[in-house]
């Protein structure tokens, strides 16, 4: 037997009061004989045995009453016969990821999961502690009415969420509850991609509830991209469609359908469109609705207007001049002097700057960086080869580079995890390409002897991305993110405009959590849109293949139960077999009080009553 409130056992000390009174009652003072009381003394001697037995029984009953009340107050739990179940800490992990919004023959999957979770809440008792944890990390705790309200308002996410984090959060909640009986209940559709890589939690029993049934057939848009990043004013929407059969699609911009067609399974959709609006616009590509509506729509954003005007300095080298020609020819840029591509000794803003080819020009380059207000300096020269790590440069190699040092005299942090917020690429754990307001500085020269990046196919896409997201006037580019993902605010942004046109302030360079609702959110600088945050669900959510319940339970280190409300409730609250015994001890105390009253009344009717 264990106790949930062991401090209440101190009340058992009150059992000494009846014993003390009994002992005091036995004490007698000086005795004097009077002839008139001889008859009474004879009667007392005749009934003395009965009186002693009665007093002893009353003392035992009163001590037992106090002990029973103390035990009840201590909230005992044990395997003795009891009423109800032992107080239990239960955290329900509700899988409300995008796949749970699929509708099958028995209705929406999420509705079935919510019904099973509600059955657990309905079976709870007053001494239980309950929490509801959803895939977005939201936690609801409290009484049964609070959890019923939370379940009634449960909605499927527009993405996968984080199953591993939800499981860890649930385990931590029950472990910190202080209640010995603990359980994590995972109510899920058992989608294989949701639980891939999720590890079991130690020290907490886990029960998995996965409703039976085959997944529905599903058509989905798993990717969408715009080409080029600036439309002048025409552009292309490229999307990939999956599914068991052909389906119709359409492209919508500003509420107008600009293109439509039919796609075969696994086909790539190409749509040439020309919106009437200018600036940053939001659009969608949509499929005919099916059982999982959440992945039939995918959002995109495009900037409509002239592409950035760029120029390569005459002494910048053959690779940069060739890149400018290719970007202009492809319609991704136009000739002009708005953005400069040059060596660092000609630094200005906005510009893409490379280290000088001649080491003797490094002092000139550092002075030019200072005049341009760029807070980095070129330090000691290093030799490679060393691999580059960063968006767009993975797989490239640096053969020579300069240590990039912050202008404030500090040292650039070592290690990939400690890179500065404006570090775009690293070499040997140190910054190799850094960015800020109106500049990108590269630690190697733009020649094949310093890095093989200029001769790789990734060079032009890398330059195109830098122009669109870092250097073009009034443009922070388009950032794609999954719901709830961590994103970094562009350097020029001071606000984030939601699809409903509300704007919340943000801090440039800070990290924020992407909205959980899919859609296009625009980065703002003052009243101007300067970029977009495009939120779409993960493509893996469209794969509705399921794990067998036993397989999922084995992966999570738990057991599985049939998707029956009563069985789920028994698994949540009756797994340990223990019972709450407080009511049993209260009932025992009541019986003892009745017995004490009967014994006392019987004594009063007798001739030897006290």
């Amino acid at each position: 037997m264990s106790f949930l409130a062991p401090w209440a056992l101190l009340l058992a000390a009150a059992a000494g009061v009846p014993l003390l009174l009994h002992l005091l009652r036995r004490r007698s003072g000086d005795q004097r004989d009077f002839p008139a009381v001889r008859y009474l003394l004879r009667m007392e001697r005749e009934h003395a045995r009965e009186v002693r037995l009665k007093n002893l029984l009353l003392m035992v009953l009163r001590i037992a009453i106090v002990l029973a009340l103390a035990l009840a107050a201590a909230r005992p739990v044990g395997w003795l016969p009891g009423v109800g179940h032992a107080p239990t800490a239960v955290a329900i992990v509700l899988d409300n990821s995008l796949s749970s919004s699929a509708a099958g023959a028995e209705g929406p999957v999420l509705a079935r999961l919510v019904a099973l979770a509600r059955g657990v809440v309905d079976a709870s008792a007053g001494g239980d502690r309950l929490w509801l944890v959803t895939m977005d990390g939201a936690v609801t705790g409290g009484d049964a009415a609070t959890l019923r309200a939370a379940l009634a308002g449960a909605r499927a996410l527009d993405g996968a969420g984080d199953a591993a984090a939800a499981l860890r959060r649930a385990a931590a909640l029950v472990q910190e509850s202080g209640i010995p009986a603990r359980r994590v209940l995972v109510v899920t559709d058992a989608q294989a991609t949701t639980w891939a890589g999720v590890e079991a939690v130690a020290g907490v029993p886990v029960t998995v509830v996965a409703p039976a049934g085959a997944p529905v057939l599903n058509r989905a848009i798993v990717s969408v991209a715009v080409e080029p990043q600036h439309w002048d004013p025409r552009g292309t929407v490229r999307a990939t469609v999956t599914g068991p059969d052909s389906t119709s699609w359409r492209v919508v911009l500003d509420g107008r359908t600009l293109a439509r067609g039919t796609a075969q399974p696994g086909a790539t959709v190409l749509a040439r469109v020309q919106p009437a609006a200018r600036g940053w616009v939001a659009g969608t590509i949509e499929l005919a609705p099916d059982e999982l509506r959440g992945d039939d729509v995918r959002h995109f954003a495009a900037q409509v207007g002239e592409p950035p005007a760029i120029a390569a300095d005459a002494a910048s080298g053959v690779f940069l001049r060739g890149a400018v020609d290719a970007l202009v020819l492809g319609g991704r840029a136009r000739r002009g002097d708005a953005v400069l591509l040059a060596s660092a000794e000609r630094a200005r803003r906005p510009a893409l700057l490379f280290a000088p080819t001649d080491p003797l020009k490094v002092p000139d380059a550092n002075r030019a960086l200072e005049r341009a207000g760029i807070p980095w300096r070129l330090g000691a020269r290093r030799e490679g080869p060393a691999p580059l790590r960063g968006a767009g440069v993975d797989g490239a190699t640096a053969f020579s580079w300069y240590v990039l040092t912050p202008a404030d005299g500090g040292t650039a942090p070592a290690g990939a995890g400690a890179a500065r917020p404006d570090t775009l690429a690293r070499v040997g754990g140190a910054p190799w390409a850094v960015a800020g307001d109106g500049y990108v500085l590269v630690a190697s020269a733009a020649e094949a002897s310093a890095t093989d990046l200029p001769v790789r196919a990734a060079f032009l896409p890398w330059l195109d991305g830098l122009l669109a997201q870092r250097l073009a006037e009034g443009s922070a580019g388009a950032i794609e993110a999954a719901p709830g993902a961590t994103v970094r605010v562009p350097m020029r942004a001071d606000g984030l405009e939601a699809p409903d046109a509300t704007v919340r302030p943000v801090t440039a360079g800070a990290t924020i959590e992407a909205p959980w609702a899919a859609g296009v959110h625009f980065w703002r600088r003052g009243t101007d849109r300067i970029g977009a945050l495009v939120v779409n669900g993960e493509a893996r959510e469209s794969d509705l293949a399921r794990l067998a319940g036993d397989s999922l339970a084995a992966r999570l280190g738990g057991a599985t139960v049939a998707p029956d409300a009563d069985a789920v409730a028994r698994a949540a609250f009756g797994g340990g077999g223990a019972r709450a015994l407080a009511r049993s001890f209260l009932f025992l105390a009541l019986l003892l009080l009745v017995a004490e009253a009967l014994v006392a009344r019987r004594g009063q009717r007798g001739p030897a009553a006290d």
Side-chain angles (χ1 to χ4, degrees), residues 89-93 166-175 182-187 201 204-208 559 572:
V90 177
I92 304 171
V93 177
L167 189 63
R168 290 193 300 269
R169 179 76 60 87
L173 288 170
V174 298
Q175 286 174 330
R182 307 163 181 167
R183 186 163 298 276
V184 171
L185 190 69
V186 179
V187 186
V201 292
V204 178
V206 176
T207 299
V208 177

Side-chain angles (χ1 to χ4, degrees), residues 53-288:
L53 289 175
K54 182 205 70 168
N55 289 337
L56 182 62
L57 181 59
L58 286 175
M59 180 194 69
V60 171
L61 288 173
R62 288 163 182 168
I63 291 175
I65 290 169
V66 174
L67 292 176
L69 291 175
L71 288 170
R75 300 175 63 192
V77 175
W79 279 260
L80 299 175
V83 179
H85 59 263
T88 308
V90 177
I92 304 171
V93 177
L94 178 65
D95 182 359
N96 64 330
S97 59
L98 174 62
S99 63
S100 70
S101 63
E106 300 181 7
V109 173
L110 182 60
R112 298 169 61 192
L113 301 182
V114 167
L116 292 171
R118 187 181 295 114
V120 174
V121 176
D122 292 341
S124 64
D128 299 322
R129 295 195 65 184
L130 304 174
W131 295 272
L132 177 68
V133 184
T134 50
M135 290 301 193
D136 56 353
V139 177
T140 302
D143 57 14
T146 301
L147 262 69
R148 289 190 191 99
L151 287 169
R155 298 292 182 268
L157 303 176
D158 286 342
D162 192 336
L167 189 63
R168 290 193 300 269
R169 179 76 60 87
L173 288 170
V174 298
Q175 286 174 330
E176 296 169 0
S177 66
I179 298 177
R182 307 163 181 167
R183 186 163 298 276
V184 171
L185 190 69
V186 179
V187 186
T188 176
D189 63 355
Q191 185 188 27
T193 58
T194 296
W195 299 100
V198 178
E199 298 180 354
V201 292
V204 178
V206 176
T207 299
V208 177
V209 183
V216 298
L217 298 177
N218 182 42
R219 308 178 195 91
I221 305 171
V222 295
S223 68
V224 63
V226 296
E227 300 174 353
Q229 297 194 40
H230 284 78
W231 291 358
D232 184 25
R234 292 174 62 87
T236 301
V237 177
R238 180 188 297 269
T240 302
V241 177
T242 62
D245 52 19
S246 62
T247 184
S248 60
W249 58 266
R250 66 172 186 158
V251 174
V252 180
L253 266 141
D254 291 332
R256 296 175 55 204
T257 299
L258 300 186
R260 62 174 68 245
T262 301
Q264 299 299 319
T268 297
V269 172
L270 288 175
R272 292 280 291 172
V273 296
Q274 181 173 337
R278 292 296 182 267
W280 281 97
V281 296
T284 58
I285 180 167
E286 305 173 3
L287 301 182

